Amino acid sequence: MQLTQGAHPVTRFRRLRRTAALRNLVQETTLTTGDLIWPVFLCDGVNQRQPVVSMPGVERRSLDLVVEAAAEAAALGIPAICLFPYTDPSLKTATCEEAWNPENLTNRAIRAIKAQVPDIAVMTDVALDPYNAHGHDGLVVDGIILNDETVVALVKMALAQADAGADILGPSDMMDGRIGAMRSALESAGHKDVAILSYAAKYASAFYGPFRDAVGASGALKGDKKTYQMNPANSDEAIRLVARDLAEGADMVMVKPGMPYLDICHRVKETFGAPTFAYQVSGEYAMIQAAAQNGWIDGEKAMVESLMAFKRAGCDGILTYYAPAVARLLRG
Ligand code: PBG
């Protein structure tokens, strides 16, 4: 990098900004459909679409429509889809056994997508919150979120998803030791090629609110997730978490939320050079959509700018609810 620059008028930065052709020629970062992972919400039934009110433009889909959505995503060149189930309150227990039921909504959806849209990669969420009467990502006893007991449950959940055909497991729970436990269980079970995208640096964030509505976890959750998700004030800790998860067998790592944590994305990529993803979470999406609906910002431009920023920060890809919309735009 040339760190000194000639003085004006030897340098005129505007020379290369004069026309679209010149601007394109020197553009440093690109956003492509290959950078996208599309998170989708599942619900029971047939031919069901339920709008998520706090995420304008996002809906829960029944299994048949999720298969259609996966086919549409594959046709748009989106490489991966990530499944999040809305779980009926009657299936939520304190012991969370629905999480590793081979016939739960997620596992049925994985099989259906792999059978009918074999080319798209299917990613899952590994965490107990959709199935937990307490709404937490881990097992709760006397108000304490248990770590090691939760890891045992998460391993069962991960194996059920791998058996169903998942390509990428996404542990979003932030328990300690879960990556190593999952990796060794996958090896023993013959699932040596199942990838893990660890939610390694996941912050205790206010930006998850709309998601908790979408999966029906808002009602169950009491309190916050600060004993397992990260303090938003911390940065070195994110580096230590990523180092730990890579050492335990994560193939890829994630920073979450995205836009308020671009400094973390940059540090993680610079430090490890590992495949690094950001999750543009529900609250980030909701803010852009709400402002756009009010005519306060240009929604399409804000979408592209927000996603490009992740690439510029060093991310290899982005989980975003905008995946189909931005893919359509990129394909003209
Ligand atoms: C929970 C989970 C959350 C998200 C993904 N998995 C919410 C939480 O931790 O409470 C958030 C995604 C989003 O806000 O878009 N395991």
Side-chain angles (χ1 to χ4, degrees):
M1 176 83 88
Q2 184 184 341
L3 292 175
T4 52
Q5 296 285 338
H8 173 81
V10 175
T11 49
R12 284 183 186 272
F13 283 92
R14 292 186 56 190
R15 284 182 203 123
L16 296 180
R17 296 187 201 131
R18 188 171 54 84
T19 67
L22 292 169
R23 289 192 294 272
N24 282 341
L25 204 58
V26 297
Q27 179 164 325
E28 297 175 33
T29 307
T30 52
L31 177 68
T32 74
T33 57
D35 302 323
L36 305 169
I37 299 178
W38 184 21
V40 296
F41 298 112
L42 297 164
C43 64
D44 249 320
V46 178
N47 198 25
Q48 293 291 311
R49 288 176 191 281
Q50 306 168 347
V52 179
V53 177
S54 51
M55 300 177 71
V58 169
E59 47 194 17
R60 303 185 195 107
R61 295 172 165 84
S62 54
L63 214 143
D64 50 324
L65 298 185
V66 162
V67 172
E68 262 177 37
E72 189 194 323
L76 285 166
I78 296 171
I81 192 166
C82 182
L83 306 175
F84 291 99
Y86 173 88
T87 307
D88 192 88
S90 68
L91 292 172
K92 296 181 197 233
T93 61
T95 40
C96 306
E97 48 282 323
E98 181 65 8
W100 52 92
N101 175 358
E103 294 304 320
N104 72 20
L105 194 52
T106 297
N107 291 330
R108 281 185 280 135
I110 297 168
R111 279 191 224 101
I113 296 170
K114 291 315 295 184
Q116 293 177 62
V117 194
D119 290 341
I120 200 159
V122 176
M123 175 171 166
T124 61
D125 182 50
V126 188
L128 300 180
D129 52 319
Y131 310 101
N132 194 344
H134 295 288
H136 276 289
D137 293 23
L139 299 167
V140 183
V141 172
D142 297 334
I144 306 287
I145 292 101
L146 303 177
N147 192 87
D148 298 8
E149 294 79 353
T150 298
V151 170
V152 173
L154 294 170
V155 166
K156 288 192 256 183
M157 184 176 184
L159 287 175
Q161 294 172 349
D163 287 342
D167 298 287
I168 305 168
L169 305 182
S172 69
D173 56 287
M174 289 294 280
M175 297 301 125
D176 287 311
R178 88 276 206 218
I179 303 298
M182 274 175 214
R183 178 52 75 209
S184 77
L186 289 168
E187 286 286 330
S188 307
H191 289 304
K192 61 182 177 6
D193 289 329
V194 172
I196 298 178
L197 169 41
S198 169
Y199 289 60
K202 177 172 176 180
Y203 288 85
S205 172
F207 291 98
Y208 307 146
F211 172 94
R212 293 178 190 167
D213 294 340
V215 298
S218 316
L221 182 65
K222 303 276 178 297
D224 56 49
K225 300 191 175 184
K226 289 182 185 171
T227 70
Y228 47 108
Q229 298 179 348
M230 282 180 70
N231 179 347
N234 292 356
S235 175
D236 290 342
E237 186 188 0
I239 300 304
R240 296 169 64 215
L241 282 162
V242 169
R244 192 268 312 266
D245 284 4
L246 289 172
E248 287 189 13
D251 304 283
M252 305 176 265
V253 292
M254 191 198 296
V255 174
K256 176 184 177 190
M259 198 143 80
Y261 298 89
L262 288 176
D263 57 325
I264 308 298
C265 296
H266 187 253
R267 262 191 97 180
V268 166
K269 186 65 185 182
E270 289 267 302
T271 307
F272 300 100
T276 303
F277 291 78
Y279 197 145
Q280 182 181 52
V281 300
S282 56
E284 298 174 63
Y285 173 86
M287 287 193 301
I288 296 174
Q289 291 297 88
Q293 282 188 341
N294 278 291
W296 296 338
I297 58 173
D298 181 320
E300 196 172 275
K301 291 199 174 97
M303 166 180 81
V304 173
E305 185 176 332
S306 67
L307 295 171
M308 185 69 80
F310 293 112
K311 295 296 303 293
R312 190 196 63 235
C315 291
D316 295 281
I318 311 112
L319 282 92
T320 174
Y321 301 99
Y322 283 123
V326 76
R328 265 182 230 110
L329 191 75
L330 291 170
R331 305 194 124 221

